[in-house]
Amino acid sequence: MQQHYIFVTGGVLSGLGKGIVTASIGKLLQSSGFKVTAAKVDPYLNYDAGTLRPTEHGEVWVTEDGGEIDQDLGHYERFLDVNIPKSHNITTGQVFHEVIQKERSGKYLGQTVQPIPHVTDEIKRRFREIAKENVDFILIEIGGTVGDYENVLYLEAARQMRFEGESVLFVHVVYLPIVKTLGEMKTKAAQHSVRDLREIGIQPDFIVCRAEKPLDDVRRKKIALFCNIKEEDVMSDPDLKISYELPIVFDDQGLCDKILKKLNLKKKKKDLKEWKKFIERIKSAKKTVKVGIVGKYFTIGEFQLPDSYISVIEAIKHACWCHGIIPEIEWIDSKIFEKNRDKLNMLKNFDGIIVPGGFGSLGIEGKILAIEYARKNNIPFLGLCLGLQLAVVEFARNVCGLDGAHSTEMDPKTPYPVIDLLPGQKDYIKKSEYGATMRLGGQKVKIKPGTLAHKLYGKSVVVERFRHRYEINPKYVKLLEEKGFVFSGTTPDEKIMQIGELPGLKYFIGSQFHPEFTSRSLNPNPLFRGFIEACIKK
Ligand code: GLN
């Protein structure tokens, strides 16, 4: 089976949406009948994204097989509707670690171990490992910007693969700024980045031009001439209201046919119908629901950074769109409630509120106040991981009368530790082993018949993705249940509580897992779907 690699690189600046470009190309190839997977190279020295700050790097994505990974893998899953394993996120930390281990264990005896060929060989080995899966196309997005020191070894490895005769295409994504004072779209920075790429020995096969507006003919010609590429291979990638539309924007420019032509391949089928219908549904939506996300990772310096909760946002969108509804999402920094409780009344203006996942004690009391408000005022509520834990804390304090109840994560000395470390976690904390030691990835959830969770899932066992160290303390489960809290999802052995709900309210449910990680464009997660249905009714 002949396999094909498509490398996606970026130029001019970071944050161009290379992940969406990669996912969109994947979608086009997939809808032409090919099996596709995608991978992301992150040129930092962290081994994985587990210990990165969300405001700096965006949210941490959790894979089915328990990887704590770059959020781009989330784009791939949402677009392609396939599970992407953790081996598809390659970091420099992993590559160097492997090379040094091999050196120490004598695998390179007598040799001088060098970036080229030893590090590049290890990179190629990892790329080829992905190709062992039963797929026609492997899309590999190389993080960072061409010209950085950091990613040059990955570019070199990709260059070598083409040189060695493998089927490789390069797609380079550039940014074309429209300078306000000139009123003109400028191509110079893009030209320079292609020059940098060619210096490394890579001639891009396609150039994708990210810009506020569509590319015009004058600039297309200019880029073609200066970048040594045919005009028809210069693609326009203007700002879109809905990023899911990009596959169609590329299809209209014939990108998929052009890729296949270069590789001498024929389409096996053509079926963007369902995707087009999905986009139509989004565009024709008229009614809105207003969802408040009560969290803390919103700002870096003076700028808002909703990327920290990107999967939550996308999951809300998926659930809204399947009902033909426009989501209006607002960020609420929970700290404002701590300073001024009157502010809680603003929550009345929302059709529903979500308390997402989180770590540490910042803004915690504000979140608990918001949950209390939602419960008492019957505002639809969805708690994600930390959100469920805090709903339990609130219930313990205000309904069970356990004054000062808390999670030992925030208050190690609480008289009522209703949330406590999972068994086994204490050792990790003692030894300061924070990397990849949480309870991670896809785990079975047994669902209790007759509950809201069962109605939503329609099944008695599901698999959802987890990322936590703390759990609902089993010692308090009986008391919480007596007072009305229902644990509708548990581990199959019923030892760990995994979903909690309050019957009698419009919608009040929380999960110890992150349902946002299994939400797909055309297949929203049931907990989000139910939440949005409750918001519509409100
Ligand atoms: N900090 C909590 C825990 O470790 C919640 C984690 C989360 O929200 N992902 O259990």
Side-chain angles (χ1 to χ4, degrees):
M1 175 174 167
Q2 164 81 316
Q3 288 175 308
H4 313 275
Y5 295 89
I6 298 182
F7 287 98
V8 179
T9 56
V12 182
L13 41 93
S14 65
L16 285 180
K18 285 199 299 287
I20 302 285
V21 170
T22 308
S24 299
I25 295 174
K27 188 79 224 168
L28 287 177
L29 292 164
Q30 193 186 51
S31 54
S32 300
F34 295 95
K35 285 212 186 89
V36 176
T37 193
K40 170 82 193 286
V41 163
D42 276 311
Y44 45 65
L45 279 167
N46 300 63
Y47 198 85
D48 57 37
T51 53
L52 287 169
R53 189 177 297 125
T55 45
E56 230 165 78
H57 196 76
E59 157 202 276
V60 175
W61 173 260
V62 179
T63 59
E64 184 78 29
D65 63 346
E68 297 171 280
I69 304 285
D70 183 88
Q71 52 172 315
D72 282 314
L73 265 66
H75 295 314
Y76 309 157
E77 288 204 13
R78 285 186 285 268
F79 273 69
L80 301 175
D81 196 10
V82 294
N83 278 349
I84 307 268
K86 61 181 167 191
S87 60
H88 289 215
N89 183 222
I90 301 172
T91 71
T92 302
Q94 296 163 17
V95 172
F96 283 9
H97 185 79
E98 184 85 24
V99 170
I100 290 169
Q101 261 186 346
K102 279 186 184 155
E103 187 272 335
R104 289 291 82 185
S105 62
K107 297 262 159 54
Y108 309 115
L109 273 187
Q111 298 176 44
T112 309
V113 182
Q114 291 178 301
I116 304 173
H118 299 95
V119 173
T120 46
D121 279 352
E122 174 57 23
I123 292 169
K124 286 190 289 183
R125 188 188 69 75
R126 282 171 184 255
F127 291 163
R128 289 171 180 148
E129 203 57 40
I130 296 172
K132 286 187 187 153
E133 293 162 30
N134 178 25
V135 288
D136 303 298
F137 280 92
I138 303 106
L139 289 129
I140 301 177
E141 177 189 346
I142 300 188
T145 307
V146 170
D148 293 347
Y149 285 113
E150 289 187 327
N151 57 18
V152 74
L153 287 170
Y154 297 96
L155 296 169
E156 168 59 16
R159 183 201 67 78
Q160 290 175 15
M161 285 174 73
R162 184 184 237 176
F163 182 72
E164 288 160 11
E166 274 168 278
S167 178
V168 171
L169 287 183
F170 289 100
V171 176
H172 188 53
V173 186
V174 293
Y175 184 65
L176 306 184
I178 299 173
V179 182
K180 250 212 188 108
T181 46
L182 301 174
E184 193 195 343
M185 188 188 277
K186 304 300 278 179
T187 66
K188 184 71 84 191
Q191 293 172 35
H192 280 289
S193 95
V194 175
R195 194 184 63 192
D196 285 345
L197 195 59
R198 292 174 64 203
E199 247 167 43
I200 303 169
I202 294 173
Q203 166 65 47
D205 299 283
F206 294 96
I207 295 178
V208 171
C209 298
R210 274 290 295 123
E212 227 174 276
K213 295 198 176 134
L215 186 69
D216 66 357
D217 270 350
V218 176
R219 274 136 204 105
R220 186 186 304 273
K221 282 201 170 80
K222 206 167 184 180
I223 289 176
L225 178 66
F226 283 93
C227 301
N228 192 35
I229 188 168
K230 281 194 196 137
E231 271 174 50
E232 61 188 46
D233 293 336
V234 182
M235 297 285 136
S236 174
D237 177 4
D239 280 0
L240 297 172
K241 272 212 192 91
I242 312 152
S243 58
Y244 294 95
E245 205 184 347
L246 190 58
I248 296 172
V249 170
F250 281 162
D251 194 51
D252 291 343
Q253 299 175 68
L255 177 59
C256 189
D257 295 322
K258 289 171 189 173
I259 290 174
L260 296 180
K261 196 168 157 212
K262 282 186 198 287
L263 299 170
N264 285 323
L265 292 172
K266 286 221 165 59
K267 260 188 190 154
K268 298 183 185 168
K269 63 168 190 180
K270 162 118 184 157
D271 193 11
L272 263 181
K273 242 190 271 151
E274 207 187 355
W275 200 259
K276 281 188 176 158
K277 246 200 263 161
F278 162 61
I279 302 296
E280 278 311 308
R281 204 163 48 235
I282 301 174
K283 286 189 164 169
S284 59
K286 293 212 168 57
K287 278 201 194 127
T288 59
V289 296
K290 198 166 161 190
V291 176
I293 300 183
V294 183
K296 67 167 177 178
Y297 302 117
F298 294 136
T299 50
I300 181 154
E302 294 293 309
F303 295 92
Q304 287 231 326
L305 208 116
D307 258 16
S308 345
Y309 295 113
I310 184 133
S311 296
V312 178
I313 298 168
E314 296 308 309
I316 295 171
K317 288 183 189 166
H318 300 158
C320 281
W321 291 337
C322 85
H323 290 292
I325 294 279
I326 304 167
E328 220 180 277
I329 300 168
E330 219 170 275
W331 311 111
I332 307 163
D333 186 339
S334 60
K335 291 193 290 295
I336 60 168
F337 302 136
E338 294 171 4
K339 285 186 208 125
N340 181 356
R341 291 195 181 198
D342 291 341
K343 286 252 160 89
L344 284 162
N345 285 318
M346 72 186 269
L347 295 176
K348 272 214 177 86
N349 304 328
F350 290 89
D351 297 314
I353 66 162
I354 293 180
V355 175
F359 297 82
S361 40
L362 201 73
I364 287 293
E365 289 304 321
K367 289 182 194 175
I368 295 172
L369 287 170
I371 295 170
E372 180 184 358
Y373 192 90
R375 180 174 61 79
K376 290 187 172 161
N377 293 280
N378 206 358
I379 299 170
F381 165 78
L382 175 62
L384 309 172
C385 200
L386 179 69
L388 167 67
Q389 296 176 355
L390 296 182
V392 167
V393 170
E394 190 276 320
F395 193 83
R397 287 182 188 176
N398 300 327
V399 180
C400 306
L402 305 179
D403 255 1
H406 216 323
S407 163
T408 51
E409 178 181 5
M410 292 87 195
D411 180 5
K413 294 206 178 88
T414 168
Y416 304 110
V418 288
I419 308 294
D420 200 8
L421 279 171
L422 280 158
Q425 287 289 333
K426 283 196 179 101
D427 285 347
Y428 291 133
I429 305 277
K430 241 191 255 152
K431 290 188 234 149
S432 257
E433 287 175 356
Y434 286 101
T437 54
M438 278 188 249
R439 178 168 179 254
L440 286 169
Q443 317 268 351
K444 280 195 186 139
V445 183
K446 180 173 161 188
I447 297 183
K448 215 188 226 162
T451 58
L452 172 63
H454 197 269
K455 199 171 129 214
L456 294 168
Y457 280 103
K459 282 186 205 162
S460 43
V461 180
V462 295
V463 174
E464 289 282 7
R465 297 186 195 174
F466 291 77
R467 180 173 187 251
H468 64 131
R469 256 182 232 293
Y470 294 81
E471 65 162 338
I472 292 144
N473 190 340
K475 286 183 201 135
Y476 289 90
V477 166
K478 199 161 162 261
L479 174 65
L480 291 161
E481 279 179 335
E482 276 166 12
K483 295 284 181 187
F485 216 93
V486 172
F487 291 105
S488 47
T490 60
T491 40
D493 64 5
E494 297 182 7
K495 283 198 174 135
I496 303 177
M497 302 303 115
Q498 313 205 107
I499 308 178
E501 57 188 71
L502 280 179
L505 295 175
K506 281 182 193 147
Y507 195 86
F508 193 104
I509 197 164
S511 59
Q512 190 59 83
F513 50 84
H514 291 272
E516 63 270 28
F517 293 140
T518 48
S519 182
R520 305 273 167 89
S521 315
L522 301 174
N523 192 11
N525 179 283
L527 295 190
F528 278 92
R529 212 185 47 222
F531 172 69
I532 294 299
E533 278 160 15
C535 290
I536 295 170
K537 280 191 205 135
K538 186 187 174 261

